Amino acid sequence: MKIIPGPASKQLGEKIAELLNAETVPVAFKTFPDGESYIRLEGKVQNEEVFIVQTTSPPQDAKIIQLAFIADAAKRNGAKKVTAIVPYLAYARQDKAFLPGEAISIEAIARMLKASGVDSLITVNVHQEKVLNKFQFPAKSVSAIPLLAEYFKSKGYVGAFALAPDKGAMQIAEEARKVLGGECGYLEKRRDRYTGQISVEKKKFEVSGKTAIIFDDIISTGGTIAAAAKILKELGAEKVYAACVHPLLIGDAEKRILEAGVEEIVGTDSVPSHVSKVSIAPLISKEIREHKSG
Ligand code: R5P
């Protein structure tokens, strides 16, 4: 077995290899002046089962192409099985045509990865589990929420209220509650399909004077977390924290969230950023141990 740390997840890939005591195959990569990607494997993969670690956070398209090229190079050079470890799986939110004429983006990506040589895929907190059915090879999502909740537990926030900013994240808040031992709840969020504007319905939670932590899979523009944080503050929460698996933090997302009263944003290294305080390396290495053939 060999680990191939892709350019988008070099540190994470190396950390995973270290935990598994596995050899890595470095990837040389560059972008040509016209914008095309180039990759080359700097090690042998002949007859090996390989695990490519490559997240697909922005710029998604370039990172997906790099992943496809690495898979192609691995198969071309004799790898017997290629598993793509894609901590943040881009395009997972477009799993159906919401409006007439739209592409089902994740289905097109799944076909492309298969054609490039990927035999199976592991991702982390995919936006919706049903997306995995779009892949014509085994695809699995594992959850980093217990690791995020453990981070807060280790800081002493036992019993904190775990809030899901929308109904879709309720399972996430429930997972966090199991670790934190307090209560959990969810808000109702609606998004305008044309403008992208969100509206969040206020609900009554018993958070007055308490610490509340908002758990979500993704922070993109920060609008969702900021709206949820404002509601928690209005309900009298003493301290509000935000936790997410994939801290995309687009534009002024961080500023927006902090201005809404959030004390700290905690993410994972699924998407490397300065808020990536929790590593998913132990989770992924455990998964690889269980996943690898023979
Ligand atoms: C959507 O349902 C996701 O779970 C996140 O809540 C969403 O992607 C966050 O986006 P933003 O940070 O732009 O509000």
Side-chain angles (χ1 to χ4, degrees):
M1 172 185 72
K2 288 194 179 177
I3 306 292
I4 307 182
S9 294
K10 193 167 180 291
Q11 270 192 351
L12 176 62
E14 282 166 0
K15 223 184 237 180
I16 291 169
E18 207 179 301
L19 289 176
L20 289 166
N21 211 3
E23 208 182 302
T24 57
V25 175
V27 177
F29 78 101
K30 64 181 175 189
T31 306
F32 288 107
D34 63 358
E36 288 185 356
S37 297
Y38 166 91
I39 76 96
R40 183 170 48 84
L41 299 183
E42 295 187 312
K44 300 248 176 296
V45 291
Q46 181 78 33
N47 286 327
E48 294 284 352
E49 175 167 7
V50 300
F51 292 84
I52 305 167
V53 186
Q54 170 86 344
T55 202
T56 56
S57 52
Q60 298 85 335
D61 299 357
K63 291 180 185 173
I64 290 169
I65 286 292
Q66 287 171 351
L67 171 60
F69 288 0
I70 297 170
D72 179 83
K75 274 286 167 72
R76 205 171 282 284
N77 286 281
K80 62 175 185 216
K81 187 174 176 204
V82 172
T83 297
I85 309 281
V86 188
Y88 171 67
L89 181 62
Y91 292 107
R93 283 173 286 182
Q94 186 73 20
D95 63 327
K96 63 179 182 189
F98 296 92
L99 296 173
E102 286 180 350
I104 303 181
S105 316
I106 193 64
E107 213 170 300
I109 300 289
R111 283 199 301 268
M112 187 181 116
L113 291 180
K114 183 174 167 56
S116 307
V118 173
D119 300 303
S120 72
L121 179 138
I122 298 170
T123 185
V124 181
N125 291 95
V126 68
H127 186 59
Q128 287 191 60
E129 289 273 336
K130 65 176 197 266
V131 156
L132 302 173
N133 299 332
K134 305 279 183 199
F135 289 79
Q136 301 131 331
F137 48 72
K140 182 178 180 185
S141 176
V142 292
S143 179
I145 296 297
L147 291 176
L148 281 167
E150 286 292 349
Y151 172 92
F152 286 99
K153 194 175 171 186
S154 74
K155 300 261 170 200
Y157 299 118
V158 179
F161 185 87
L163 180 75
D166 57 35
K167 208 170 174 182
M170 189 51 203
Q171 161 72 21
I172 282 179
E174 183 60 40
E175 274 180 66
R177 186 198 62 78
K178 282 190 191 140
V179 175
L180 293 167
E183 286 177 19
C184 66
Y186 67 91
L187 291 167
E188 295 279 0
K189 178 179 88 177
R190 270 176 244 302
R191 191 182 289 273
D192 184 303
R193 290 271 159 218
Y194 290 93
T195 64
Q197 280 288 99
I198 57 157
S199 57
V200 182
E201 196 179 301
K202 194 168 170 185
K203 276 193 183 175
K204 277 219 116 335
F205 300 115
E206 297 303 322
V207 291
S208 183
K210 292 189 189 162
T211 294
I213 308 167
I214 310 164
F215 285 88
D216 208 350
D217 55 348
I218 306 166
I219 296 179
S220 180
T221 64
T224 302
I225 297 282
K230 278 183 199 147
I231 292 175
L232 287 170
K233 281 292 187 185
E234 280 165 27
L235 291 172
E238 191 195 344
K239 284 199 167 153
V240 176
Y241 291 86
C244 76
V245 180
H246 313 295
L248 301 183
L249 298 177
I250 306 301
D252 64 351
E254 187 174 4
K255 185 167 168 269
R256 217 169 154 185
I257 291 172
L258 297 178
E259 279 176 5
V262 168
E263 309 279 332
E264 182 185 356
I265 306 170
V266 179
T268 79
D269 53 1
S270 148
V271 176
S273 93
H274 67 284
V275 306
S276 303
K277 299 165 192 171
V278 171
S279 180
I280 56 169
L283 176 70
I284 300 291
S285 45
K286 177 173 171 278
E287 199 52 40
I288 291 179
R289 250 186 231 114
E290 286 165 14
H291 182 90
K292 76 177 162 57
S293 343

